[in-house]
Amino acid sequence: MLHYEEKKDNKQVFRQGVTLIEYEGQPSKIIQWSQLIEGDPFGDHEITYRINYGSESILRSFKVKYVGKEGDKHRILIKEGVSGCGTKTKRIENKEVLIPDKLYQPYPLQQKSEEGKDPNPIECEICKAIVSVLCGLLAEGVAESVACEEACASVCLIFTWDPIIYPICVTICVPSCDELLQLIISLGVATACGLGGEYLCQKAGLCC
């Protein structure tokens, strides 16, 4: 991340930053983004993102109700919003999402120690989430031509509350999913999905 700043008052949290994504053998990509959370993060609230990269400019807004915590996850009801990656969008209403505790960050980010840091990049976490959703869709008989569009509309919702991962997910999900889909098809859906996300994401070069 090249730049990050955060402002907070009683009614809202505003974050903005500039993130650089470096690819092996491909041009780097710079993302400028902002996240605004208004209302009570553990009640009714609204999340708005503005994301710019290259010639793309994306606005995403979600009206949300916090339902409660279940074990190490938070159950969230997205009352209305627009999901999807890049220019591929899908309106959503009354969709429940389970958010892992480590990703639910409505309050200021804690500085994380470099010691014991996961060597895998953010793209790895996104990749494993894509594989899980994509394999489920293919097993249900969803057509390959729309599988990635459907998968990414669901996958990026998981990362909505993380101000670092969500903009990256919106930017890379569809091209990453297209690459994973071709890999899954070449291996055979049953075989590939049986191998799991860790293996497939390593083969795709998105996990270490």
Side-chain angles (χ1 to χ4, degrees):
M1 186 162 56
L2 301 178
H3 172 75
Y4 176 84
E5 61 184 68
E6 181 173 71
K7 297 176 183 176
K8 180 177 181 291
D9 61 29
N10 291 334
K11 295 183 179 179
Q12 64 181 34
V13 178
F14 177 74
R15 296 161 169 148
Q16 63 181 356
V18 179
T19 302
L20 172 68
I21 303 179
E22 294 184 303
Y23 299 95
E24 206 169 304
Q26 297 181 43
S28 299
K29 187 173 289 185
I30 293 178
I31 307 169
Q32 295 177 301
W33 54 267
S34 66
Q35 179 207 52
L36 176 65
I37 302 178
E38 298 177 280
D40 178 6
F42 294 96
D44 287 310
H45 58 286
E46 188 167 350
I47 302 174
T48 303
Y49 271 97
R50 291 186 182 275
I51 302 166
N52 297 297
Y53 61 98
S55 60
E56 298 282 350
S57 182
I58 293 171
L59 176 66
R60 296 283 185 271
S61 184
F62 306 93
K63 290 184 178 178
V64 183
K65 180 177 182 180
Y66 184 86
V67 179
K69 192 170 182 183
E70 296 182 9
D72 63 349
K73 293 185 178 179
H74 300 266
R75 185 173 291 278
I76 309 297
L77 174 67
I78 299 178
K79 295 189 286 188
E80 62 179 83
V82 175
S83 185
C85 298
T87 55
K88 299 175 186 287
T89 61
K90 180 179 180 181
R91 287 204 64 80
I92 52 173
E93 291 184 358
N94 298 319
K95 180 178 178 65
E96 286 201 350
V97 184
L98 282 173
I99 310 294
D101 193 50
K102 67 179 180 178
L103 295 179
Y104 194 75
Q105 298 179 7
Y107 291 120
L109 293 172
Q110 299 296 316
Q111 293 295 322
K112 296 178 182 177
S113 168
E114 292 295 315
E115 189 177 347
K117 186 179 175 184
D118 187 343
N120 280 315
I122 289 171
E123 291 92 330
C124 178
E125 294 304 314
I126 296 170
C127 179
K128 287 187 287 187
I130 293 171
V131 170
S132 176
V133 175
L134 186 58
C135 284
L137 290 170
L138 294 172
E140 291 170 7
V142 172
E144 293 170 6
S145 59
V146 297
C148 280
E149 190 174 334
E150 290 288 321
C152 286
S154 297
V155 166
C156 291
L157 285 180
I158 298 168
F159 302 104
T160 305
W161 282 263
D162 191 298
I164 310 301
I165 301 181
Y166 179 76
I168 296 175
C169 185
V170 169
T171 307
I172 73 167
C173 188
V174 170
S176 297
C177 183
D178 287 341
E179 185 177 347
L180 287 165
L181 180 61
Q182 294 309 310
L183 178 59
I184 289 170
I185 291 169
S186 69
L187 293 171
V189 174
T191 300
C193 292
L195 291 170
E198 194 80 42
Y199 174 83
L200 293 174
C201 292
Q202 286 178 358
K203 292 291 279 185
L206 292 169
C207 286
C208 300

